[in-house]
Amino acid sequence: MNCRSQILELTVEARQIEETVLAVLHTVLLHRSSGKFHYKKEGTYSIGTVGTEDVDCDFVDCTYVRVSSDELDRTLRRSVGEFKDALRNSGSDGSGQISLEFYQKKKSRWPFSDECIPWEVWAFKLNVVNLANEQERQICREKVGEKLGEKIINIIEVMNRHEYLPKMPTQSEVDNVFDTSLRDVQPYLYKISYQITDSLGTSVSTTMRRLIKDTLAL
Amino acid sequence: MDGELSPQDKKDLDKFIKFFALKTVQVIVQARLGEKICTRSSSSPTGSDWFNLAIKDIPEVTHEAKKALAGQLPGIGRSMCVEISLKTSEGDSMELETWCLEMNEKCDKEIKVSYTVYNRLSLLLKSLLAITRVTPAYKLSRKQGHDYVILYRIYFGEVQLNGLGEGFQTVRVGMVGTPVGTITLSCAYRTNLAFMSGRQLERTQPIMGIIIDHFVDRPYSGSSPLHPCNYRTTGEDDGGNFPSVDDSQEVCTTSFSTSPPSQLYSSRLFYQPFATLGGGSADLACCPAALTAGVNTAHPHQMVIPSKEGGIPVLPLHPAPGVQADGERVPTCNLTDMNQHAATTPSSSGEAELLSKSSEGKSGTPQDVLETTFTRKVGAFVNKPASQVTAANMDLPFAVFAPKIVESEDTDVMVNPPDSPILESPLHASLHSDQSSGSSGLTQDEFVMVELKPAFSKDDFLPMDLGTFYREFQNPPQLSSLSIDISAQSMAEDLDSLPEKLAIYEKNMEEFDAFVDTLQ
């Protein structure tokens, strides 16, 4: 099975990093989250309800919709915060890429550990610029807002192609497909990673790779 | 599975399409209410959430949608359209966008109705939620108030895009194939907002009253009436009693099977009759009031439409119960409804909180929510005096709508320094890359008045908001000695006193020299 991947790119100011990344990640996860499954007898299951919440950005002129789950929001903010700090520490005018990967677990026999097979990867590349004055920042705010809106439309376009999605699992297999750790919603299993390139365009010698959902933790 | 649709599948599919159409309308209209929407996730299925999404049903909107559908379903050649338009206080109106739910002939016979189609429709609704916040009309709708309001109209049949002006853009939200055709959802939105440019920027006079005609004669035949997106629960037709749930009282509780596809045929959706909902109906009935409360509290000025005579409206301290003008809506009813519902139904207070919480960040009883939000802008029917809005000009009713800053801004040299551009319309600046825009930005043709929205600034109606602060203090203040008035007055005096001053300085010359020496 081929893993499809999408790359989005945006040029932002340092203070806009967090909001633009969150907007993109939340938009993707909105489409890749389901209500909690409740399995019943006879192999049937029912699905809980997903609520949504509008979020206004402060540094970007845009509003995005996210799933109403504080847990999910906290998790995303944590990883986005790390990405943002790494970007800022790499110096001014750098760029970085944060990836959201959806995967399925495939159980292997002992002594082999479970395999993670990605089926969809979203890569969001950010180029960071520094602006000189408030006027430029205001213009940037509007422009990035428009661009972010276009990215959201791109995401939706991909989502509605109805390409491969993992089959709905049985109760015993649900943890191989979905992240069932959240109380209120159930996104597909995902992990977030990032890498930073400095302003020279070369990879930093230590490419940082943080796995937020580490399925290989034993 | 053979090509023919089974009767049960056909029935399911019709139901899905019908409720999808109703939910689509709800999402679109709610996105144009002018405030942030927030609904809660629930891990247990409630039985009333179609497509596993928490989308509230505003009864009036459902009623209008059903009226437009008139028992039919969107199908091939029969599209359901939601038209969003803007109406200014002067009575000019303009279509902003048209959302179309259509069906084409491309069928997908292999697809599973009760499972795949349902899930894909759910995905499409999520996409609609996201896209409605991205089209240009969203920003306009968030700023609706006394300058303009956003209206909606639902119609069924052929799509009409003539009113969108030249160069309108289309964005497709998504498509879902079904055995009877492919459902497509798209939006055509206006890009040319030229006529608004001159009017939007003039804020010289307070708006004395906005009359919204709910039954506007449209040039198109078979037209349906326009409705404000800041809806009201009381209507002329039904006396304010809209059925909160579908006539057929059907609610979907989905149950899916994890068995292999060949056995999927045997797993069915089961429906609970409305009678079992009990508490659910009460919740739904409370929803409109709660939503009204949300609308009230977040944008109380939207509800201020008392002036029918055109004169200065009276500012009553308490809502008049159950007053209905002829054919025109009176916001007092909503306040009464809301108060009643808020007093009797705890769930509605929760929801009122929910809706205003995201924008206001406050929690508490509805009364508290009312109070805290009303401190931002005093609307009609405020029971408690706003602590913050204690402007001296409270003598004049609706004085808060009168821009307080405009006069001082125009004459104050600090605010309008000759050589610094004021970003009255940063959107304009960004659209046209025109950094030399003047103070009013009336240079180019097509732009939308978007106020300077500095970082951290919430939608904020206080006289001294962050944007005003930026404008006023963008440059250092002028030295008082350079101000013309003072210098003109004291010039003569200065000249007269010069000889005396010179004499004193001569006398103290040694002191000055000693001082200079200490500095070296």
Side-chain angles (χ1 to χ4, degrees), chain B residues 135-322:
Chain B
T135 52
Y138 180 71
K139 285 180 197 149
L140 288 173
S141 68
R142 288 291 297 269
K143 293 178 194 300
Q144 65 181 301
H146 48 276
D147 286 334
Y148 62 87
V149 287
I150 302 292
L151 310 176
Y152 73 94
R153 178 172 82 98
I154 308 171
Y155 62 91
F156 193 70
E158 272 191 43
V159 179
Q160 299 155 11
L161 299 177
N162 304 332
L164 293 174
E166 286 179 11
F168 64 86
Q169 300 274 351
T170 307
V171 62
R172 175 188 284 167
V173 184
M175 300 196 300
V176 173
T178 75
V180 299
T182 298
I183 296 169
T184 62
L185 186 53
S186 60
C187 172
Y189 59 91
R190 169 184 282 273
T191 53
N192 180 5
L193 294 155
F195 102 95
M196 288 174 54
S197 58
R199 297 215 172 92
Q200 285 307 105
L201 296 169
E202 288 170 16
R203 299 234 237 131
T204 51
Q205 311 172 22
I207 305 300
M208 284 307 166
I210 305 167
I211 297 175
I212 293 181
D213 289 323
H214 295 293
F215 297 97
V216 173
D217 282 333
R218 308 276 303 176
Y220 308 114
S221 60
S223 61
S224 47
L226 281 168
H227 302 272
C229 282
N230 48 341
Y231 77 101
R232 280 155 194 101
T233 55
T234 57
E236 301 80 16
D237 301 334
D238 308 341
N241 297 320
F242 296 110
S244 53
V245 183
D246 183 6
D247 292 335
S248 59
Q249 308 302 335
E250 276 172 298
V251 171
C252 170
T253 302
T254 57
S255 175
F256 298 97
S257 167
T258 53
S259 22
S262 59
Q263 293 179 18
L264 205 60
Y265 185 76
S266 58
S267 84
R268 288 285 149 233
L269 298 169
F270 53 91
Y271 306 100
Q272 291 176 1
F274 179 61
T276 65
L277 266 191
S281 65
D283 280 339
L284 288 168
C286 292
C287 276
L291 282 168
T292 313
V295 171
N296 265 337
T297 54
H299 289 270
H301 54 281
Q302 281 181 355
M303 306 303 290
V304 178
I305 315 175
S307 153
K308 288 144 196 89
E309 300 77 25
I312 296 176
V314 176
L315 184 71
L317 285 178
H318 301 285

Side-chain angles (χ1 to χ4, degrees), chain A residues 30-31 33 38 43-52 54 56 59 63 65 68 141 156 160 162 168-169 183, chain B residues 36-39 41-43 45 49 52 54 115 123 126-127 131 133 142 173 175 254-256 258 453 456:
Chain A
L30 169 70
H31 290 82
S33 295
H38 296 277
T44 59
Y45 61 96
S46 60
I47 306 180
T49 301
V50 172
T52 58
D54 288 346
D56 286 337
F59 299 108
T63 300
V65 179
S68 281
R141 186 193 148 80
I156 285 167
N160 278 274
H162 303 302
M168 282 299 143
R183 270 174 307 172
Chain B
K36 294 201 291 189
I37 304 292
C38 177
T39 55
S41 300
S42 161
S43 63
D49 294 321
N52 308 117
Y115 168 71
L123 197 76
K126 289 175 181 171
S127 301
I131 266 196
R133 276 65 174 169
R142 288 291 297 269
V173 184
M175 300 196 300
T254 57
S255 175
F256 298 97
T258 53
K453 194 181 176 213
F456 302 111

